[in-house]
Amino acid sequence: MHSFGYRANAVLTFALTILALMCAIASFSDNFNFPSPSAEIQIVGFNGFKKKPHGNDEVSLTMNITADLQSLFTWNTKQLFVFVAAEYETPQNSLNQVSLWDAIILAKEHAKFWIQTKNKYRFVDQGSNLRGKDFNLTLHWHVMPKTGKMFADKLVMSGFRIPEEHR
Amino acid sequence: MDWQGQKVVELWMQVMLLVFAVVAFVTGYITASFRTMMLIYAGGVVFTSLVTVPNWPFFNRHPLKWLDPSEAEKHPKPQPQAVASKDKKKSSKK
């Protein structure tokens, strides 16, 4: 502590170490949050069905997404990344997951929402398995923190079916 | 800064930073505002630096008593021997 430079260095280093500790504790405090999110998805209708002779099946649909994800927000939450994935089984793959829609929710107020939308990303299969296919729509969320550990979870909604092609 | 001052300053620095950290965290957690925690802590760091880093006169109340110049002249510093090099052992080269 014998010189200005020495003391300045000591203050800054100690201050930064304590800051790192504070961030670790802040992240740990997220474990004391027990969220109760809810969501519902309804398929308004299927808009189109592409069946290519030597290509992959593709389906286009419109859905209503209702969700209340407000309880996921903590003081240490920067944003919520949410996406809807269609999940189904095929002879080739035991699990196919196709992301249909996603959003970034920046504030707790916006976490309770209703949206009617076409699928943002294409619902394409690896092959031609989609006709008459039963699938789940799963809402996944990633709680992205300001500092520390990210929590991720999901809500599975089953009972959806792609109709047989009728053209 | 004298020795006493340095000791005091080190202690004050550690205590002040810890106290500000605790106050900042608790306030931030209660108000659910990460921003509040950061602002209080940043303010605390600046305040601590202002108190402990500059050489305030308060930290120099027990100055070191250096020897008086007139006294120092009476006891001259020993001079290095000018002719001493011959006495050194030279390592033999093989």
Side-chain angles (χ1 to χ4, degrees):
Chain A
M1 293 287 159
H2 52 76
S3 69
F4 186 94
Y6 189 122
R7 289 192 294 275
N9 182 35
V11 168
L12 287 172
T13 312
F14 196 54
L16 243 108
T17 308
I18 294 181
L19 181 66
L21 229 88
M22 279 162 72
C23 287
I25 300 175
S27 175
F28 185 74
S29 75
D30 276 349
N31 288 313
F32 299 116
N33 182 43
F34 297 101
S36 48
S38 63
E40 199 195 319
I41 305 183
Q42 293 156 336
I43 297 190
V44 173
F46 288 86
N47 309 332
F49 194 111
K50 280 199 196 111
K51 186 156 178 67
K52 301 180 200 153
H54 300 289
N56 299 326
D57 274 2
E58 185 182 336
V59 150
S60 174
L61 56 118
T62 307
M63 40 188 177
N64 273 345
I65 304 171
T66 314
D68 182 1
L69 304 171
Q70 290 187 316
S71 58
L72 292 166
F73 273 83
T74 69
W75 73 309
N76 185 30
T77 302
K78 178 169 186 280
Q79 64 195 18
L80 206 56
F81 176 67
V82 176
F83 68 96
V84 171
E87 296 176 351
Y88 58 96
E89 193 183 320
T90 60
Q92 287 167 293
N93 308 319
S94 60
L95 177 66
N96 297 278
Q97 288 173 306
V98 185
S99 180
L100 299 178
W101 174 86
D102 58 26
I104 289 178
I105 303 174
L106 292 163
K108 191 173 179 171
E109 299 76 52
H110 303 148
K112 189 170 184 180
F113 63 93
W114 178 93
I115 181 175
Q116 179 166 320
T117 174
K118 240 172 51 157
N119 49 311
K120 201 170 172 188
Y121 306 109
R122 294 163 57 172
F123 191 164
V124 186
D125 183 40
Q126 273 185 326
S128 20
N129 302 298
L130 290 185
R131 240 200 302 172
K133 189 47 126 182
D134 290 313
F135 65 98
N136 290 342
L137 282 175
T138 312
L139 183 72
H140 296 251
W141 56 82
H142 286 57
V143 184
M144 299 167 78
K146 291 194 172 104
T147 171
K149 182 175 177 219
M150 182 174 82
F151 293 81
D153 204 352
K154 62 186 180 189
L155 187 61
V156 182
M157 287 156 279
S158 51
F160 300 96
R161 190 161 211 266
I162 303 175
E164 306 286 342
E165 201 183 349
H166 58 282
R167 213 33 91 83
Chain B
M1 240 187 236
D2 59 50
W3 302 120
Q4 187 63 20
Q6 288 179 33
K7 185 176 165 187
V8 161
V9 132
E10 181 169 5
L11 182 66
W12 279 21
M13 174 200 82
Q14 291 168 338
V15 167
M16 281 172 84
L17 283 178
L18 280 169
V19 164
F20 271 107
V22 169
V23 167
F25 187 88
V26 169
T27 312
Y29 191 75
I30 289 176
T31 59
S33 167
F34 200 87
R35 186 151 194 262
T36 305
M37 176 176 88
M38 283 300 161
L39 285 172
I40 295 179
Y41 185 63
V45 171
V46 169
F47 180 64
T48 305
S49 308
L50 284 172
V51 169
T52 61
V53 175
N55 196 9
W56 300 114
F58 170 80
F59 298 118
N60 221 359
R61 299 247 220 115
H62 307 270
L64 295 159
K65 291 211 192 82
W66 293 106
L67 199 57
D68 195 63
S70 55
E71 185 68 30
E73 275 167 27
K74 293 185 196 162
H75 309 274
K77 263 168 86 167
Q79 298 295 323
Q81 308 235 340
V83 218
S85 50
K86 296 263 159 62
D87 296 337
K88 282 192 211 162
K89 275 190 194 161
K90 286 201 177 138
S91 55
S92 50
K93 287 186 186 164
K94 280 188 185 168

